[in-house]
Amino acid sequence: MKFRPLHDRVLVRRIEGVEKTAGGIIIPDTAKEKPQEGEVIAAGAGVKNEDGKLTPLDVKAGDRILFGKWSGTEVKVDGEDLLIMKESDILGIIEGTTSSKKKAAE
């Protein structure tokens, strides 16, 4: 199934955090917080300003982002748990990192 967010909404896949501490202690799933880092899967076209002109989004598919703890709405697309959020819920883009798909290919 293809999913295309509308307007200023973004579809995000959470990026799982570290499973063990630097000292080697494994963190159980029940003690982990939900990650606040994700990868943009799809982004809407943008929002129209008062003049009717389309203002494109700053994020695009493949960007790694940080978002607030309670940001977005959880949805299931093709059996995968994803988030839909507005671009304003995104705190910033993490630059200088490769996406998870590129890491898997290496």
Side-chain angles (χ1 to χ4, degrees):
M1 165 173 58
K2 283 191 145 194
F3 182 84
R4 184 175 54 101
L6 298 177
H7 309 294
D8 64 338
R9 289 186 173 74
V10 180
L11 186 66
V12 176
R13 174 186 299 122
R14 288 184 192 269
I15 296 176
E16 295 301 322
V18 184
E19 305 253 334
K20 88 168 89 160
T21 65
I25 299 172
I26 296 174
I27 304 168
D29 289 339
T30 55
K32 289 182 195 171
E33 289 190 23
K34 289 185 177 179
Q36 294 173 266
E37 185 178 332
E39 179 183 357
V40 176
I41 304 301
V47 291
K48 290 187 179 179
N49 61 18
E50 295 169 3
D51 300 333
K53 293 181 182 177
L54 188 67
T55 304
L57 300 181
D58 291 328
V59 297
K60 62 188 177 312
D63 284 348
R64 288 187 66 161
I65 59 167
L66 290 177
F67 50 88
K69 194 176 219 174
W70 309 109
S71 298
T73 302
E74 293 184 2
V75 295
K76 194 169 270 216
V77 178
D78 286 338
E80 183 177 11
D81 291 325
L82 301 172
L83 289 168
I84 296 178
M85 63 182 68
K86 288 190 166 223
E87 185 185 40
S88 59
D89 290 339
I90 296 173
L91 303 175
I93 299 171
I94 302 171
E95 295 181 350
T97 58
T98 57
S99 70
S100 58
K101 287 182 183 177
K102 289 179 185 173
K103 283 183 182 177
E106 293 176 355

